[in-house]
Amino acid sequence: MSITILYFANLRETLGIERETVELPITVQTIGDLREWLCARGGNWNVLAGAQVRAALNQVLTMPDASIGADDEVAFFPPVTGG
Amino acid sequence: MSISVSIQTADFDVGAETAGLTGLDGVGAVASFVGVVRGTDVLAMTLEHYPGMTERALAEILQQAQQRWSLVAARVIHRVGRLLPGEHIVFVGVASSHRREAFEACEFIMDFLKTRAPFWKKEETSQGARWVEARQSDDAAAARWRP
C-alpha cells in the first residue's frame, strides 16, 4: 500500500525532504514499524529514532502501535513550540 | 458558541479582535492573550506549521474549552512565517457571561496550544539560527488541567 509521509522543522532540514509518497512493504503495519523502516535507510535517517520524535496519523497525534492504512498521511516532527 | 481559528502571515488588530468579541449577545466578560516575539538576543523568528493538522488541533482545543466552561465565543489567531521582535505571534480571545470562565478558558487554550498545536519556531540570533526546544514547564502547565 502507498502512503504519504511529511517531515517538519529540524527533521525536514536534517533529512532534506518535506514530503514523499512511498509504497510500504507488507511488514510495515504500524507507526513504529514505519519509523524503523525509515531509520534503516541509514545516514541521517537515524534522526527519526530520537526519543523526542512525535508522529501524527491523518493529522492527529498518534502512538507507535497505531495501524497504518492505504493512502494514510503520516507526519514526523519534534515537540511543538508554538504560541 | 462561535469558535474561530485563523492561521495567517499577516498581523492582527488586537483592538478590533477584542471588539468583535465584546459585541456578542450575552457577553459580560472578554479575556484575551497576546503572545509577542521577545527581543532579547533574538533577531527574528520563523514559525512553521503543519497545514490542516494545525486548524484541526486548534478547533479541538476550543471545543474542549467549550465543554469545560460556558463560553459565548472563542477565537485563536496564530501567525506563521518570519516575525521580528515586538511583533504579535498569537491572539486568544474568549467571551463569556462572567469573568472566571473567560480567564480560565483563555489560559487553558494557551496551555494546550503550546503543547498540542503543530507549530515550530526557529530563532535567528547573532550566533546563528536554532530551533526552539520544547519546555517541560509547558507540558506541566497543560497537565494541571487534567480532571
Side-chain angles (χ1 to χ4, degrees):
Chain A
M1 77 188 161
S2 163
I3 64 162
T4 300
I5 313 176
L6 308 176
Y7 307 94
F8 290 95
N10 65 326
L11 300 182
R12 172 178 53 74
E13 284 185 348
T14 303
L15 298 171
I17 184 172
E18 65 183 75
R19 163 189 285 266
E20 62 179 321
T21 300
V22 294
E23 187 63 34
L24 296 182
I26 191 86
T27 49
V28 176
Q29 301 280 337
T30 66
I31 293 289
D33 294 343
L34 176 63
R35 202 155 127 166
E36 276 177 35
W37 184 67
L38 292 168
C39 284
R41 287 172 167 178
N44 287 340
W45 288 91
N46 207 38
V47 72
L48 292 177
Q52 295 283 297
V53 174
R54 307 285 194 262
L57 178 59
N58 298 323
Q59 305 189 348
V60 177
L61 277 172
T62 190
M63 301 300 281
D65 60 358
S67 297
I68 303 172
D71 301 322
D72 277 352
E73 178 178 297
V74 177
F76 291 102
F77 46 78
V80 302
T81 56
Chain B
M1 162 172 107
S2 119
I3 62 173
S4 118
V5 170
S6 302
I7 311 299
Q8 60 191 51
T9 53
D11 194 12
F12 48 81
D13 180 337
V14 176
E17 293 299 336
T18 309
L21 293 168
T22 50
L24 301 171
D25 271 359
V27 171
V30 172
S32 65
F33 172 85
V34 177
V36 173
V37 181
R38 254 191 312 275
T40 333
D41 195 37
V42 174
L43 306 172
M45 179 175 272
T46 301
L47 272 136
E48 173 177 336
H49 79 121
Y50 180 176
M53 180 173 170
T54 313
E55 291 82 352
R56 211 167 155 147
L58 289 172
E60 197 187 312
I61 293 166
L62 295 182
Q63 280 154 16
Q64 283 173 10
Q66 163 62 10
Q67 281 164 19
R68 214 164 157 139
W69 294 278
S70 171
L71 307 177
V72 178
R75 169 143 174 80
V76 173
I77 307 172
H78 204 299
R79 294 179 69 194
V80 292
R82 190 167 182 270
L83 303 174
L84 300 175
E87 284 199 76
H88 297 143
I89 305 174
V90 60
F91 172 87
V92 175
V94 178
S96 60
S97 299
H98 302 284
R99 73 180 182 282
R100 189 172 183 79
E101 289 91 335
F103 274 133
E104 289 188 359
C106 188
E107 199 170 6
F108 170 92
I109 291 164
M110 264 316 293
D111 284 347
F112 277 81
L113 181 154
K114 283 246 167 210
T115 52
R116 307 288 291 184
F119 292 100
W120 301 275
K121 289 185 185 127
K122 191 175 192 179
E123 292 176 343
E124 295 167 37
T125 71
S126 50
Q127 282 88 49
R130 64 181 180 218
W131 288 99
V132 173
E133 295 203 2
R135 295 150 71 119
Q136 283 192 341
S137 58
D138 288 334
D139 286 330
R144 77 201 158 97
W145 295 102
R146 288 201 188 110

